[in-house]
């Protein structure tokens, strides 16, 4: 799967009880997607990549062995010190470093929310290869990746446009296969059925990253949903 999170899906997840109904941000929509995919998991070893102060591992840890894979160094405005969550182990590692603290083929499921977009271009390929390494055969990985979509593809700054293809190429180069065929093509623009962040949340985030104010005003903050499988 390589698609955008769509509103009609989110409405279903809302009705099914996977969404935090008090939240008004894209993260809660991304969380609802992951939970819709993983809510029935039991007895699995699940790793959240860059979980930070994870909301989802708190919900998955009662029935699964969960690991938060993060160095907690504040990257991408994440936490600067380890967040202890009952029943969740911490692996202080970054995917892409091939750190021996994470054994080969040791996870049934890996997922991330708002992490992959923080990995610099030169490291995205290593990040996917490392995640493929630690996934068991038969395992799945799911990533919710923030993107900014414009009215027209031609308006998208080159460095943002390049990332859409980069994620697809690095995912395909990792040796994993798509769970279902990719939908996102080479040239994408915002469409009204794509779920996006609230203007209130965007106005708030402009205070945190003022240099992105123009981009945030001109484009919609949306999320890719990606699922890969290891045979
Ligand atoms: C924007 S925060 C998101 C935190 C959390 N997923 C959430 O949705 O609240 C990005 C997190 O990714 C972590 N991170 C960045 N690159 C990473 C990598 N290569 N491997 C693991 N974690 C990474 C950072 O340390 C940070 O905690």
């Amino acid at each position: 799967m390589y698609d955008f999170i769509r509103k009609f899906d989110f409405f279903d997840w809302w009705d099914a009880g996977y969404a935090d109904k008090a939240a008004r941000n894209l993260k809660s929509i991304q969380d609802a997607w992951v939970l819709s995919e993983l809510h029935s998991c039991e007895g699995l070893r699940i790793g959240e990549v860059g979980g930070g102060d994870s909301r989802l591992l708190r919900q998955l840890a009662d029935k699964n062995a969960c690991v938060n894979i993060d160095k907690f160094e504040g990257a991408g405005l994440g936490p600067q010190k380890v967040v202890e969550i009952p029943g969740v182990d911490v692996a202080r590692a970054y995917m892409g470093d091939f750190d021996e603290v994470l054994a080969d083929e040791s996870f049934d499921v890996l997922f991330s929310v708002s992490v992959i977009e923080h990995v610099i271009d030169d490291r995205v390929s290593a990040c996917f290869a490392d995640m493929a390494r630690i996934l068991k055969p038969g395992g799945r990985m799911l990533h919710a990746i923030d993107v900014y979509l414009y009215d027209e593809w031609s308006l998208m700054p080159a460095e943002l446009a390049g990332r859409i293809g980069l994620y697809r190429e690095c995912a395909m180069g990792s040796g994993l296969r798509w769970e279902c065929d990719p939908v996102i093509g080479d040239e994408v623009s915002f469409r009204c059925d794509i779920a996006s962040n609230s203007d209130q949340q965007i106005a708030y985030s402009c205070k945190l990253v003022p240099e992105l104010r123009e981009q945030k005003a001109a484009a919609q903050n949306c999320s890719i949903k990606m699922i890969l499988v290891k045979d």
Side-chain angles (χ1 to χ4, degrees):
M1 175 188 290
Y2 190 52
D3 195 357
F4 298 108
I5 295 181
R6 312 270 171 177
K7 284 190 281 192
F8 59 81
D9 285 329
F10 177 58
F11 297 165
D12 287 346
W13 305 328
W14 176 281
D15 291 344
Y18 302 134
D20 173 356
K21 294 191 175 171
R24 298 285 181 271
N25 54 27
L26 184 65
K27 264 191 201 298
S28 65
I29 296 174
Q30 294 169 311
D31 284 357
W33 169 57
V34 175
L35 206 55
S36 75
E37 293 286 340
L38 301 185
H39 68 96
S40 60
C41 290
E42 280 190 40
L44 300 184
R45 187 152 193 262
I46 299 179
E48 180 169 1
V49 177
D53 187 359
S54 174
R55 302 163 300 281
L56 289 163
L57 291 181
R58 289 173 202 277
Q59 301 179 64
L60 297 168
D62 58 336
K63 293 185 178 153
N64 301 279
C66 291
V67 182
N68 194 352
I69 304 167
D70 200 325
K71 279 195 171 173
F72 298 93
E73 292 175 339
L77 298 177
Q80 295 177 8
K81 58 180 185 189
V82 174
V83 179
E84 302 286 355
I85 300 172
V88 175
D89 290 337
V90 170
R92 295 196 73 168
Y94 278 152
M95 299 315 308
D97 288 350
F98 299 89
D99 195 317
E100 288 176 2
V101 76
L102 295 163
D104 293 359
E105 303 191 343
S106 54
F107 286 89
D108 298 288
V109 177
L110 292 172
F111 73 88
S112 74
V113 175
S114 288
V115 172
I116 304 297
E117 71 272 17
H118 295 289
V119 178
I120 60 170
D121 286 2
D122 290 351
R123 301 281 297 161
V124 176
S125 175
C127 183
F128 275 97
D130 200 9
M131 293 189 290
R133 174 185 71 83
I134 65 171
L135 204 58
K136 292 179 188 174
R140 296 169 86 206
M141 70 183 186
L142 305 84
H143 302 290
I145 308 171
D146 284 43
V147 286
Y148 282 86
L149 297 178
Y150 289 70
D151 290 336
E152 305 288 344
W153 170 251
S154 59
L155 298 172
M156 201 162 180
E159 69 273 18
L160 294 183
R163 295 286 293 198
I164 304 269
L166 180 67
Y167 299 140
R168 187 177 46 222
E169 282 159 24
C170 292
M172 290 168 72
S174 68
L176 307 186
R177 68 170 168 82
W178 297 109
E179 191 170 70
C180 49
D181 290 341
V183 168
I184 299 175
D186 288 333
E187 298 188 0
V188 290
S189 54
F190 183 69
R191 290 289 174 268
C192 294
D193 71 331
I194 299 176
S196 59
N197 216 340
S198 68
D199 294 334
Q200 288 85 347
Q201 183 64 24
I202 290 293
Y204 167 74
S205 70
C206 283
K207 296 280 178 217
L208 303 176
V209 273
E211 64 276 17
L212 292 182
R213 190 181 177 95
E214 208 172 310
Q215 174 182 308
K216 287 169 184 273
Q220 288 298 108
N221 177 201
C222 306
S223 180
I224 290 171
K225 55 177 181 177
M226 170 189 281
I227 305 183
L228 296 156
V229 179
K230 184 167 180 174
D231 287 326

